[in-house]
Amino acid sequence: MGQALSRGPARETLPPTPAWATTMATPRNCESSMTRRDCLRLGLGALMGGGLVESLRARGLAAAPGSRPSSCILVWMDGGPSHYETFDPKPDAPAEIRGEFRPIETSVPGIRFAQPMTRLAAIADKLAIIRSIRHDQGNHGAGNHYMITGAPPRIPVGCGAFVSFHPSMGAVTAHERGASGGLPPYFSMPSMTRSGGPNFLGAKYAPFVVPDDPNSSRFRVRDVAPPGGLEVARVEDRRGLRERLDRFRRFADRATGDPALALDEYYHQGYELMASPMAQRAFDISQEDPRVRDMYGRHSFGQRCLLARRLVEAGVPFITLNEGGWDHHVSLFDGFRKRMPRFEGAVAALIQDLDRRGLLESTLVVVLGEFGRTPKINKDAGRDHWSNAMSVLMAGCGTPGGQVVGATDAQGYAASDRILSPENFVATIYAKLGIDPGKILYTPSGRPTFLVSDPTPIRELMG
């Protein structure tokens, strides 16, 4: 079946729909109910019951062959951080626009950040700051979707909506890359972003959510250890029993299409994950040098950054750190003073630690939210939603550091130089992860869909 799909003015004739496109299972929508239990957590506590089987049926864990490929740690500042108070200060603007923080010098002459960004300013030579991404989705639901997927919502959505019209970057990376060592290829901590799901790719590419606090002395990833009172040896005995049962002709005859065959595969994968030394090591954060843990900060976000580094070392290609609380309609400056030192200090520690370990060249660190904030400070000492301007930090994976890409106007109202789109941003992420941003995917019904409608990466970031 030949089909045509338009990307702007040019048209491209597509090859026949592959057979697998018509045999994929009907996808589940993970955004419709965003509790942590609803987001497809791997329930190894239900190893001998149906919970794990259904979860693993949805995920289909697979190890990526070959040596370590590139990975991405996406630090998502949910709510939309102010560009004025982070990477695009406007000291010459009127007081009602420039705000309370002064600009500070960075390690790169001529580049200045806002006052709260002290530790990141010290390593600006490793960072690229994009100041000129803009879009037209000024509410949280739509803005989140656009920046996380590279596709604008198809219909108007509410500000608090959890929507999925297109697969997220994490889900696409999981689909295209897989992971090594039996670990899931896509993690999100402590929750999934509003539009972080897989859409038509299917629920097996939803993120593995780790909601628990790695800063707690009681931190334990339930899905990577046997249930209480059940040792791995006993699980192995039950696994052997299943394997002996599977030798019966009814189960061995694949022509019958018996669902028990598929169930057995997921039981096997569940055992492999639980028994994986790599998984055990990755999550055993207590084995880290206390000085390294101190460097990241002994708080929830700092220790999640450290855990993200450990997951990269274990071969996981995409990790999202979903950090809410940046929707500063009220008391923006007080909020930044209280929170930003820990936050930006942990991000700086992550980048420096990756660099010291030789991992920064293969690990992309990205920090952003769904949009920036309004130029004029409101009556509640806050700023409101503003999608005409925003700032994005990018480091690693061959990204040339010590640069600023694009600019906003003198008062920060809008991107004015080297104007870029969310599509350009997402295409850059894919290109750095070895995924063709111009690729065409197929829905279960066979409908062709561009991964990114404009697959042009940001050239200054490609090295």
Side-chain angles (χ1 to χ4, degrees):
M1 177 178 65
Q3 302 186 51
L5 183 62
S6 175
R7 181 188 273 136
R11 298 186 65 85
E12 181 177 354
T13 300
L14 302 182
T17 302
W20 59 262
T22 61
T23 59
M24 292 175 62
T26 302
R28 289 170 52 191
N29 188 340
C30 193
E31 285 76 21
S32 60
S33 178
M34 286 298 298
T35 68
R36 69 185 189 184
R37 290 183 177 88
D38 292 334
C39 280
L40 297 172
R41 299 179 59 225
L42 289 174
L44 280 180
L47 182 64
M48 293 304 131
L52 172 67
V53 174
E54 292 305 314
S55 296
L56 287 175
R57 184 203 300 274
R59 289 182 196 284
L61 302 179
S67 59
R68 178 193 302 279
S70 53
S71 298
C72 178
I73 300 173
L74 175 69
V75 181
W76 182 255
M77 300 174 73
D78 193 64
S82 169
H83 53 295
Y84 294 93
E85 279 69 47
T86 52
F87 303 111
D88 197 6
K90 298 295 181 181
D92 299 325
E96 65 271 19
I97 291 176
R98 70 173 180 262
E100 298 181 11
F101 298 136
R102 63 179 177 82
I104 59 173
E105 300 298 327
T106 71
S107 62
V108 179
I111 296 179
R112 295 193 292 179
F113 293 169
Q115 187 176 354
M117 316 304 287
T118 55
R119 284 184 61 181
L120 286 171
I123 60 167
D125 58 303
K126 295 178 173 34
L127 314 178
I129 305 298
I130 314 166
R131 288 178 175 165
S132 57
I133 294 175
R134 60 182 296 182
H135 58 80
D136 59 356
Q137 304 294 327
N139 69 62
H140 297 299
N144 187 300
H145 189 278
Y146 206 175
M147 295 304 298
I148 288 285
T149 69
R154 297 173 187 165
I155 59 174
V157 297
C159 197
F162 293 83
V163 295
S164 178
F165 301 103
H166 195 78
S168 66
M169 290 185 285
V172 169
T173 303
H175 180 267
E176 296 294 308
R177 290 272 307 275
S180 61
L183 284 163
Y186 174 24
F187 278 77
S188 194
M189 301 182 284
S191 60
M192 190 175 84
T193 59
R194 297 168 192 254
S195 299
N199 193 258
F200 64 79
L201 292 179
K204 65 182 177 180
Y205 299 112
F208 183 114
V209 176
V210 180
D212 299 301
D213 183 0
N215 192 49
S216 169
S217 60
R218 297 184 297 274
F219 175 65
R220 175 177 177 271
V221 180
R222 302 182 187 94
D223 306 320
V224 186
L230 185 62
E231 298 179 354
V232 174
R234 292 183 62 195
V235 175
E236 174 65 25
D237 289 342
R238 299 185 185 190
R239 182 188 185 210
L241 175 61
R242 285 189 55 84
E243 290 175 348
R244 289 192 293 274
L245 288 172
D246 287 349
R247 294 193 186 104
F248 284 115
R249 182 176 180 82
R250 186 171 87 87
F251 297 112
D253 185 1
R254 296 188 176 272
T256 66
D258 197 303
L261 292 170
L263 298 184
D264 182 70
E265 178 183 350
Y266 295 115
Y267 276 116
H268 174 75
Q269 290 178 348
Y271 171 82
E272 293 300 322
L273 177 61
M274 185 186 65
S276 166
M278 184 174 289
Q280 301 296 329
R281 286 194 301 269
F283 287 108
D284 191 2
I285 199 169
S286 66
Q287 297 303 309
E288 279 288 338
D289 186 328
R291 292 171 297 181
V292 174
R293 297 192 69 177
D294 292 342
M295 179 182 70
Y296 279 86
R298 295 286 185 147
H299 49 84
S300 300
F301 176 66
Q303 299 303 293
R304 287 192 184 103
C305 286
L306 175 54
L307 185 55
R309 189 218 80 203
R310 294 175 66 86
L311 290 171
V312 164
E313 289 177 308
V316 176
F318 205 99
I319 303 108
T320 297
L321 302 178
N322 186 25
E323 292 295 311
W326 300 98
D327 191 21
H328 286 111
H329 294 281
V330 177
S331 302
L332 182 152
F333 305 102
D334 287 344
F336 263 62
R337 288 188 184 96
K338 291 174 182 175
R339 184 172 187 188
M340 189 53 79
R342 284 186 167 193
F343 179 86
E344 68 100 26
V347 173
L350 172 63
I351 293 168
Q352 291 173 299
D353 196 18
L354 288 167
D355 192 29
R356 278 193 291 268
R357 293 168 184 270
L359 293 170
L360 191 59
E361 274 301 304
S362 60
T363 307
L364 182 64
V365 179
V366 187
V367 183
L368 78 158
E370 55 263 49
F371 39 58
R373 310 301 293 190
T374 49
K376 191 167 289 188
I377 299 166
N378 64 29
K379 63 181 178 60
D380 298 312
R383 299 185 192 267
D384 303 314
H385 303 174
W386 194 251
S387 62
N388 284 321
M390 62 188 298
S391 291
V392 176
L393 178 154
M394 191 176 289
C397 209
T399 303
Q403 65 165 327
V404 171
V405 178
T408 55
D409 61 62
Q411 296 189 358
Y413 274 83
S416 59
D417 178 62
R418 187 75 172 97
I419 298 173
L420 298 162
S421 68
E423 287 89 344
N424 299 137
F425 164 72
V426 172
T428 304
I429 303 294
Y430 286 142
K432 285 183 168 293
L433 292 177
I435 299 168
D436 178 9
K439 184 171 184 173
I440 295 167
L441 301 176
Y442 292 87
T443 69
S445 64
R447 177 175 61 84
T449 301
F450 284 117
L451 186 53
V452 184
S453 61
D454 178 1
T456 309
I458 302 169
R459 63 177 181 272
E460 295 92 333
L461 304 178
M462 296 309 297

